[in-house]
Amino acid sequence: MSDAPTPGGGLGDGLGDGLGDGGGPPARRHEKYERLVAACRSIAPVPTAVVHPCDATSLGGAVDAAKEGFITPILVGPAARIRAVAEAEGIDIAPYEIVDAPHSHAAAAVAVGLVREGRAGLLMKGSLHTDELLHAVARREGGLRTERRISHVFIMDVPTYPKPLFITDAAVNIAPTLEDKRDIIQNAIDLARALGIALPKVAILSAVETINPKIPSTVEAGALCKMADRGQITGGLLDGPLALDNAISPEAVRIKGIQSPVAGQADILVVPDLEAGNMLAKNLTFLANADAAGVVLGARVPIVLTSRADSVMTRMASSAVAALYAHRTRIAEPVKG
């Protein structure tokens, strides 16, 4: 890892109380997320445009992240509705600026404007549809586009895996082209490096570990690895195609005799398309008791996408990841693109 502690470096010590999932049986510890949250305590809060926080979950999540010191919220949306939700839920928003916008579409446009003006270094989704927010971000005129393809990364805390597992793209790009996948991989590598992984191991997934012209994702995997050899993808160690077991299981790698510095120990899993990624992430969440923090990259600033179903720890981890990425890309060499 570069300028941050490595996974396993004891960053969870001293984590504040109240980040568990609530009632029921004792929650498992989230050591990987706790390290991310703890690392975030060493940086200044990032000014964050919270877009249309007009329900208890989105408004409360933004305020919780502010209380932890990750962000300084700028609440963008119908001021009367935001204040009504705060009053009804007992959420103290007195310390935070409210920028009035009449509806969700306007709130997205205003929030993007705050980023363009330099007043916000992050965007956080509130109670509007993801497409509304990303439409404002992706506008060619007045948006936050870069030369990079916008993509989503899940940062998963899987109890049976020894380190955070990045999965991309399972939320934005439905059927990415080879060129799209180059950007998707580069975005994920940049995120992993910003979080302290010096040389992320990237597994490009398919159904098998050999190139088969009848399976297009294996051909693309081979091409992407050659693109990395030629410097078109930088900062990571790529291998593929790899089946899922070969990417994450040292025992499967041993049995199959695969010689690879990535196989069995991947940091990043690159899926063939959104359907595969969505099923993989939900499989881990619902069958392996994993948590899935998420962030959108490739725009001028990272974008926090949360769900009403997210646990408190997952929300904190999403905010921490985005804040750390925003902070470290400001003080390091700017992300190319």
Side-chain angles (χ1 to χ4, degrees):
M1 292 192 174
S2 53
D3 61 348
T6 59
L11 286 177
D13 294 343
L15 182 68
D17 293 331
L19 292 181
D21 294 343
R28 71 175 179 87
R29 285 184 59 82
H30 300 75
E31 292 89 351
K32 307 171 192 75
Y33 279 178
E34 288 173 0
R35 294 180 192 121
L36 291 172
V37 169
C40 204
R41 299 190 190 285
S42 65
I43 68 173
V46 180
T48 300
V50 186
V51 187
H52 203 256
C54 293
D55 64 6
T57 301
S58 58
L59 184 59
V63 170
D64 287 344
K67 289 179 179 177
E68 292 293 329
F70 304 157
I71 68 171
T72 300
I74 304 169
L75 308 174
V76 185
R81 285 184 62 186
I82 293 171
R83 292 190 178 100
V85 171
E87 183 176 356
E89 300 295 330
I91 301 170
D92 181 12
I93 60 172
Y96 312 119
E97 179 183 0
I98 299 177
V99 178
D100 191 32
H103 46 69
S104 57
H105 287 289
V110 169
V112 165
L114 292 175
V115 173
R116 292 178 63 87
E117 294 166 13
R119 292 186 57 198
L122 280 179
L123 286 177
M124 179 179 287
K125 175 182 172 289
S127 55
L128 77 168
H129 197 280
T130 299
D131 286 349
E132 289 184 78
L133 178 55
L134 294 185
H135 177 76
V137 168
R139 288 179 56 188
R140 293 192 178 275
E141 297 295 330
L144 301 175
R145 294 171 67 108
T146 68
E147 293 181 3
R148 288 269 185 89
R149 182 80 177 179
I150 291 173
S151 62
H152 181 274
V153 183
F154 276 123
I155 305 93
M156 304 203 70
D157 185 338
V158 184
T160 54
Y161 202 64
K163 54 186 175 178
L165 190 61
F166 298 70
I167 296 176
T168 190
D169 180 345
V172 173
N173 293 283
I174 297 172
T177 65
L178 180 65
E179 187 176 13
D180 294 338
K181 288 181 180 179
R182 188 216 77 88
D183 286 351
I184 288 168
I185 293 171
Q186 193 66 65
N187 286 341
I189 289 172
D190 289 346
L191 175 63
R193 287 173 59 85
L195 298 184
I197 303 174
L199 188 64
K201 297 178 175 65
V202 182
I204 306 169
L205 298 184
S206 186
V208 295
E209 66 275 8
T210 55
I211 293 176
N212 183 338
K214 295 180 180 179
I215 306 176
S217 61
T218 66
V219 178
E220 289 193 346
L224 289 163
C225 291
K226 183 54 65 175
M227 291 170 78
D229 290 343
R230 297 290 187 263
Q232 293 170 271
I233 301 170
T234 61
L237 189 61
L238 276 65
D239 195 11
L242 288 171
L244 178 61
D245 57 338
N246 305 327
I248 61 174
S249 169
E251 180 64 9
V253 172
R254 184 190 66 78
I255 291 172
K256 293 192 175 182
I258 298 172
Q259 301 296 317
S260 164
V262 172
Q265 51 184 332
D267 298 295
I268 299 170
L269 303 180
V270 181
V271 297
D273 55 31
L274 184 142
E275 290 179 312
N278 185 275
M279 285 185 276
L280 173 58
K282 287 183 177 177
N283 187 318
L284 292 173
T285 299
F286 290 97
L287 294 180
N289 197 30
D291 288 305
V295 63
V296 170
L297 305 171
R300 293 191 189 181
V301 298
I303 304 163
V304 180
L305 296 184
T306 55
S307 165
R308 285 175 294 180
D310 287 344
S311 69
V312 176
M313 175 54 84
T314 297
R315 288 177 178 277
M316 291 300 101
S318 295
S319 299
V321 164
L324 282 167
Y325 182 81
H327 173 74
R328 289 182 175 150
T329 52
R330 282 201 307 267
I331 64 175
E333 181 181 353
V335 176
K336 295 178 181 180

